[in-house]
Amino acid sequence: MSERLELPTGDRVGPDDVFLYNGYPYRLVWLDHETYDFELSPLYWGNSGMDIPFQDREALVDQWGTDSRGLLTDEEWAAWIEDARDDERFGEQEVTELARELPGDATVEADATDSDSGGLRDILGL
């Protein structure tokens, strides 16, 4: 069993858990680093330079915003996906991939691999 981190909500998460941080699904990644203990990796954007490193839990608590909720139920993730489909910040391919990765039965509509609608990856040229 891997080490777990207590989120400000009281939820305890490990690397396989997906949780809502600042309005987006993230996973915990433990680091072997002299300055940072762990980082939060965005579910779709992980390893793209958008991971957020933290020195310790207190640093996470300091940056925990009102859009951060921790672990969500299957129904809450499904509602998050529905909202994301209507949010212009997210491309359809991104939302489709997130729906596949999120816990529960978040509905995956048509595969948008060939018809991405211009999410953040496109804006950044990734």
Side-chain angles (χ1 to χ4, degrees):
M1 182 172 180
S2 66
E3 187 178 352
R4 300 186 75 71
L5 173 71
E6 184 177 344
L7 299 176
T9 60
D11 296 327
R12 296 185 58 78
V13 298
D16 293 332
D17 298 311
V18 179
F19 53 92
L20 193 66
Y21 173 72
N22 287 343
Y24 200 84
Y26 280 81
R27 281 199 171 111
L28 168 70
V29 177
W30 292 109
L31 300 175
D32 183 15
H33 191 276
E34 62 186 53
T35 305
Y36 301 109
D37 287 346
F38 61 92
E39 65 186 10
L40 301 186
S41 181
L43 193 57
Y44 182 72
W45 296 97
N47 297 319
S48 69
M50 297 180 80
D51 297 4
I52 306 168
F54 291 90
Q55 280 186 302
D56 52 29
R57 182 181 181 276
E58 289 75 31
L60 173 64
V61 170
D62 289 343
Q63 292 187 39
W64 194 261
T66 57
D67 288 337
S68 302
R69 298 207 18 237
L71 295 172
L72 300 182
T73 65
D74 293 352
E75 293 80 19
E76 289 170 323
W77 280 124
W80 187 91
I81 285 293
E82 276 299 310
D83 291 343
R85 288 195 190 285
D86 296 330
D87 189 325
E88 64 185 27
R89 294 175 298 167
F90 307 114
E92 188 59 35
Q93 180 178 350
E94 178 180 3
V95 175
T96 298
E97 291 301 320
L98 286 168
R100 287 186 181 128
E101 291 283 326
L102 288 171
D105 296 325
T107 305
V108 178
E109 291 178 10
D111 187 322
T113 322
D114 298 326
S115 62
D116 190 38
S117 61
L120 190 54
R121 272 191 196 248
D122 288 341
I123 294 167
L124 295 174
L126 299 173

